[in-house]
Amino acid sequence: MGLNVRGQTFYTLSQDVLDDHVLMANHLIDEFLLFMKEDEIGNDLIDEIELPVPKKALVEAFRIAVTAERQPTIRALLIKAAMTLAQFRIGLGNRIKLTPLTPHGRSPQGRSLAFERRLERILIATAEERVHLCEFYRRVCMQSYN
């Protein structure tokens, strides 16, 4: 037990406990990355329910792994992988495949105005979450160096 700058007590974790947290975080991340590869997620938008592990647990696992990682290149790759969590949306329903436009413009399939508006809202929410995740992991990096 120790004191922080405000004079409050805090408990320090033993190295074994910290190592266990890092191992568990790495296991969850491996599970997520395997899922991403096997299901060929790419840039698709997918309902959170499809994740092999709850999204909050994955955000925390990436936080622990980013904090523990000292190699900048590995840390950057972890953050890049963590950013893909924004593609998983709660209550989305069916997977939305995002494919690039053909050289001739839009695909010949017609889409309703309601679908176009829903997709736009989902894309905006996804972009906003990516920004929030980026800021979160940037703060994690800054704090881990202190």
Side-chain angles (χ1 to χ4, degrees):
M1 187 162 61
L3 292 176
N4 65 15
V5 264
R6 294 187 186 100
Q8 300 164 322
T9 59
F10 67 92
Y11 294 93
T12 57
L13 297 175
S14 70
Q15 189 61 46
D16 289 342
V17 172
L18 290 174
D19 290 344
D20 287 345
H21 284 287
V22 173
L23 284 173
M24 179 56 78
N26 287 335
H27 172 73
L28 294 177
I29 291 168
D30 288 345
E31 212 174 308
F32 172 69
L33 294 175
L34 183 61
F35 164 77
M36 292 287 288
K37 182 178 178 183
E38 286 178 350
D39 282 18
E40 297 177 7
I41 302 301
N43 293 318
D44 296 351
L45 301 174
I46 300 174
D47 198 305
E48 254 184 59
I49 200 162
E50 300 295 326
L51 283 168
V53 176
K55 188 173 178 177
K56 286 183 180 184
L58 287 168
V59 170
E60 180 64 11
F62 276 107
R63 183 194 66 77
I64 291 168
V66 166
T67 301
E69 184 56 56
R70 293 295 173 223
Q71 293 182 28
T73 53
I74 302 297
R75 187 177 263 192
L77 289 172
L78 283 167
I79 292 171
K80 184 177 179 180
M83 301 296 287
T84 63
L85 290 170
Q87 294 171 226
F88 295 88
R89 313 300 309 160
I90 193 161
L92 181 67
N94 292 334
R95 182 178 188 156
I96 298 175
K97 289 194 153 291
L98 298 179
T99 55
L101 293 175
T102 66
H104 306 290
R106 286 185 167 227
S107 64
Q109 296 175 322
R111 300 252 163 74
S112 71
L113 185 58
F115 176 83
E116 296 286 340
R117 286 184 179 155
R118 178 176 179 262
L119 179 59
E120 184 177 353
R121 283 192 309 273
I122 293 167
L123 289 173
I124 289 169
T126 301
E128 288 172 349
E129 185 173 357
R130 285 181 68 84
V131 169
H132 291 288
L133 286 170
C134 183
E135 290 171 358
F136 173 72
Y137 290 114
R138 184 185 60 77
R139 285 191 308 271
V140 167
C141 286
M142 297 303 293
Q143 291 171 354
S144 71
Y145 288 126
N146 294 331

